[in-house]
């Protein structure tokens, strides 16, 4: 059992490491699109119409098309080697709800699909076949049987429950509305920092988008703070207490700052994977930041882009102060729960 847990943990880290370049490229290009084209750039016709639009939609390829399937592919790769890539990618693609059936499970769905795909491929490798046709196993049997099996499983078994969970969380946020800003900020901030791109994060983000459509831009500002805070917190924690982190951990400080600036929460995932205690630390800081953002009346008229959309903020200085407070709270908690390396 311990070996299985270690394999899954290693698979998770591998998947994230392969996914991050897609997130970085997509996130920064999306942010540049906002910077060059304004906060209404998503409504501009994709590609070709303007340079800013082209940059924005190229970035969306990384964030909206490749990110989740690549995660599923390389989680499976870690478990089953190269034959797992195709099957894991199919499973990760299904987690994006490509048919619009309300089954989107995002980051968590891709992780589950990748793990199942990896062990499924390992099982298929053990099928006893005559030597004459055994060469067909990696090129024909595993791709066909594996992809069909993982897609059917994601569609009929996993998609429904995770889709129902997503809808329930959406209803929860809609019921809260903006009548109780403190409670709303706590719930929204915790959801955004809990799975950093998974169903909870996506539900809270969808809620902020829905509010934007009605002319309420405060939830999106809270969303920005809560999403930028976790990578900022990790970077600050490593600067405050460097002896509690390895050289490899500290080499990620520039990336974490970049994630905070570009609103790429996923930069904080590898650190949480190593120490699960970091997730509550992220949640506390993000929740505090979201509450302060609401109370301060900060609004942002852009759905993404990090600090590159500073032009869309109504209160620039309060936004940065709020983000620093949120990051500092989480950083202090991270330092508190992290043991020095010699004691770890």
């Amino acid at each position: 059992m311990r070996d299985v847990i270690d394999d899954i943990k290693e698979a998770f880290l591998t998947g994230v490491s392969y996914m991050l370049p897609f997130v970085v490229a997509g996130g920064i290009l999306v942010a540049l699109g906002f910077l060059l084209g304004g906060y209404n750039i998503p409504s501009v016709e994709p590609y070709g119409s303007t340079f800013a639009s082209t940059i924005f939609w190229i970035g969306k390829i990384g964030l909206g098309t490749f990110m989740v399937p690549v995660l599923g592919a390389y989680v499976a790769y870690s478990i089953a080697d190269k034959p797992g890539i195709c099957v894991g990618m199919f499973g990760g693609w299904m987690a994006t709800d490509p048919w619009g059936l309300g089954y989107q499970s995002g980051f968590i769905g891709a992780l589950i699909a990748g793990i199942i795909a990896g062990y499924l491929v390992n099982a298929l490798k053990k099928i006893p076949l005559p030597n004459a046709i055994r060469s067909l196993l990696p090129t024909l049997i595993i791709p066909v049987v594996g992809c069909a099996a993982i897609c059917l499983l994601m569609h009929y078994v996993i998609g429904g429950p995770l889709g129902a969970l997503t809808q329930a969380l959406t209803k929860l946020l809609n019921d809260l509305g903006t009548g109780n800003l403190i409670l709303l900020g706590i719930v929204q901030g915790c959801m955004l920092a809990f799975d950093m791109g998974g169903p909870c994060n996506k539900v809270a983000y969808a809620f902020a988008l829905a509010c934007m459509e009605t002319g309420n831009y405060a939830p999106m500002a809270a969303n920005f703070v809560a999403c930028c805070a976790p990578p900022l917190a990790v970077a600050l924690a490593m600067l405050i207490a460097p002896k509690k982190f390895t050289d490899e951990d500290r080499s990620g400080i520039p990336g974490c700052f970049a994630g905070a600036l570009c609103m790429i929460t996923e930069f904080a995932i590898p650190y949480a994977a190593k120490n699960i205690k970091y997730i509550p630390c992220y949640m506390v800081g993000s929740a505090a930041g979201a509450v302060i953002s609401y109370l301060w009346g900060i609004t942002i008229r852009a759905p993404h882009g990090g600090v590159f959309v500073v032009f869309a903020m109504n209160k620039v200085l309060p936004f940065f102060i709020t983000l620093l407070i949120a990051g500092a709270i989480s950083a202090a908690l991270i330092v508190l729960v992290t043991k020095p390396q010699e004691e770890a």
Side-chain angles (χ1 to χ4, degrees):
M1 184 64 184
R2 181 65 182 176
D3 290 340
V4 172
I5 294 175
D6 289 341
D7 286 345
I8 292 175
K9 181 179 179 181
E10 180 64 28
F12 179 66
L13 294 174
T14 300
V16 169
S17 67
Y18 278 98
M19 177 190 72
L20 276 179
F22 293 87
V23 175
V24 172
I28 291 178
L29 288 172
V30 164
L32 286 173
F34 279 120
L35 179 64
L36 296 173
Y39 65 85
N40 65 336
I41 195 67
S43 63
V44 178
E45 182 181 353
Y47 311 110
S49 55
T50 67
F51 178 76
S53 171
T54 302
I55 290 293
F56 173 83
W57 288 105
I58 289 174
K60 291 292 285 184
I61 294 173
L63 287 179
T65 304
F66 289 145
M67 182 180 73
V68 173
V70 164
L71 175 63
Y74 284 96
V75 166
Y77 165 75
S78 179
I79 297 171
D81 207 8
K82 291 181 181 179
I85 293 177
C86 177
V87 181
M89 184 166 285
F90 267 69
W93 179 74
M94 289 296 293
T96 66
D97 187 26
W99 300 319
L101 300 176
Y103 291 171
Q104 183 172 2
S105 50
F107 184 88
I108 298 298
L111 176 61
I112 294 171
I115 292 170
I116 295 173
Y119 285 107
L120 173 62
V121 169
N122 279 342
L124 292 173
K125 289 178 182 178
K126 298 176 182 178
I127 296 176
L129 293 173
N131 291 333
I133 62 172
R134 189 157 187 82
S135 61
L136 297 177
L137 194 60
T139 58
L140 177 63
I141 298 173
I142 288 178
V144 173
V145 176
C147 291
I150 193 63
C151 288
L152 290 171
L153 188 62
M154 289 293 291
H155 179 62
Y156 288 109
V157 179
I158 297 175
L162 284 179
L165 174 62
T166 300
Q167 292 175 9
L169 291 173
T170 302
K171 186 177 184 302
L172 171 65
L173 284 178
N174 287 334
D175 289 343
L176 282 176
T178 54
N180 189 330
L181 295 181
I182 294 178
L183 180 57
L184 177 61
I186 292 172
V187 174
Q188 186 179 354
C190 286
M191 290 177 67
L192 289 163
F194 173 66
D195 55 3
M196 294 165 281
C200 290
N201 179 285
K202 290 295 189 295
V203 167
Y205 182 65
F207 168 74
L209 285 175
C211 289
M212 283 189 71
E213 293 179 359
T214 66
N216 181 1
Y217 302 104
M220 187 55 70
N223 183 88
F224 268 60
V225 172
C227 288
C228 293
L232 175 62
V234 174
L236 292 176
M238 289 189 287
L239 290 175
I240 294 169
K243 292 183 178 180
K244 291 193 172 187
F245 299 89
T246 65
D247 291 340
E248 181 182 359
D249 290 335
R250 294 196 300 274
S251 69
I253 290 176
C256 287
F257 276 123
L261 293 174
C262 298
M263 196 178 164
I264 305 174
T265 318
E266 286 83 354
F267 274 104
I269 291 175
Y271 299 92
K274 292 182 179 180
N275 190 339
I276 198 68
K277 294 179 182 178
Y278 287 2
I279 293 180
C281 299
Y282 298 159
M283 292 170 67
V284 172
S286 291
V291 169
I292 295 171
S293 177
Y294 276 120
L295 296 179
W296 219 327
I298 302 172
T299 63
I300 297 180
R301 292 172 174 260
H304 204 286
V307 300
F308 288 98
V309 294
V310 63
F311 55 86
M313 301 175 186
N314 69 329
K315 298 179 179 179
V316 176
L317 182 59
F319 169 80
F320 282 103
I321 293 174
T322 302
L323 177 57
L324 285 174
I325 292 173
I329 291 172
S330 290
L333 293 174
I334 289 171
V335 172
L336 186 64
V337 303
T338 304
K339 296 181 180 180
Q341 284 302 302
E342 60 270 21
E343 297 178 14

